[in-house]
Amino acid sequence: MELSIDEINLLKKAYGTIIDPHHKYRPESEKELTDFENKFNLIPADYRYLLKEFGGCHFVDPWVYTLEELTWAYPGFIAEYSDEEEINISEDNVFPIGGLGDGSTVCIIKKTGKIAILPHDSYVETIDDLEIIASNFKEFIFDLAEQGIACDEAINNAVYWDYLKND
């Protein structure tokens, strides 16, 4: 994923809005990425780039897994979607990259690069049944980044105006 200086600065600004101390939002090392890939599966290129340069993120829902979260989630994904009934939704077709608060999984459809939601409590037979939320990873991550920045600015403005009212 090639990024312009403006796009890199936007991501840096968005990552500056993450204040959750329970997660390790940091760039992942090449060794950690390679270790995951040797153990499980190749990480799609754009997601791998984000992990290596910035790390996972949770600006707003959905969130993007850190490598630690992916290492935890990936085996469960394989177990859930590896039987013959789920042949159309498997590690061969989709790659989990994040989640939603309701337990649903956000995936990259390998053939098209589209980002889709794999619902938690719904049976889906094929990739065509998934809800597409972005046409590609870059669109997905920048939409999240812009939402995260807007949320952060709204919170900071509300706190500032509340401070002025009470002063």
Side-chain angles (χ1 to χ4, degrees):
M1 176 167 65
E2 289 200 31
L3 300 178
S4 69
I5 298 296
D6 290 340
E7 289 170 329
I8 290 170
N9 288 335
L10 180 71
L11 282 179
K12 285 180 179 179
K13 182 175 181 179
Y15 272 81
T17 69
I18 299 173
I19 57 170
D20 185 351
H22 302 293
H23 289 89
K24 299 174 186 168
Y25 298 111
R26 59 166 176 75
E28 307 289 354
S29 73
E30 181 62 35
K31 181 183 179 335
E32 292 168 317
L33 294 165
T34 302
D35 287 350
F36 175 91
E37 291 176 326
N38 288 335
K39 185 174 183 179
F40 296 110
N41 200 342
L42 293 179
I43 300 169
D46 288 348
Y47 176 40
R48 191 181 201 287
Y49 173 86
L50 183 80
L51 289 174
K52 187 173 182 180
E53 298 301 320
F54 294 94
C57 60
H58 193 173
F59 309 129
V60 294
D61 269 2
W63 66 86
V64 177
Y65 292 142
T66 62
L67 192 57
E68 180 180 337
E69 292 166 331
L70 180 63
T71 301
W72 172 84
Y74 196 81
F77 173 81
I78 299 300
E80 180 75 24
Y81 298 102
S82 62
D83 62 22
E84 288 185 22
E85 287 182 19
E86 304 290 352
I87 196 89
N88 292 311
I89 299 174
S90 70
E91 66 181 307
D92 296 331
N93 301 354
V94 296
F95 190 95
I97 60 166
L100 288 159
D102 69 356
S104 296
T105 303
V106 177
C107 300
I108 294 176
I109 299 173
K110 290 183 174 182
K111 186 180 269 186
T112 64
K114 292 181 180 179
I115 308 301
I117 294 175
L118 182 56
H120 171 61
D121 283 334
S122 299
Y123 179 76
V124 290
E125 292 185 21
T126 70
I127 290 173
D128 296 333
D129 296 333
L130 300 178
E131 177 187 354
I132 305 298
I133 58 172
S135 61
N136 58 57
F137 187 79
K138 190 173 182 180
E139 175 187 306
F140 170 67
I141 200 66
F142 280 100
D143 184 50
L144 293 179
E146 288 169 357
Q147 288 179 53
I149 291 167
C151 261
D152 188 60
E153 289 172 353
I155 289 167
N156 287 334
N157 285 337
V159 169
Y160 175 74
W161 288 110
D162 191 45
Y163 170 78
L164 289 178
K165 287 181 192 174
N166 293 324
D167 193 29

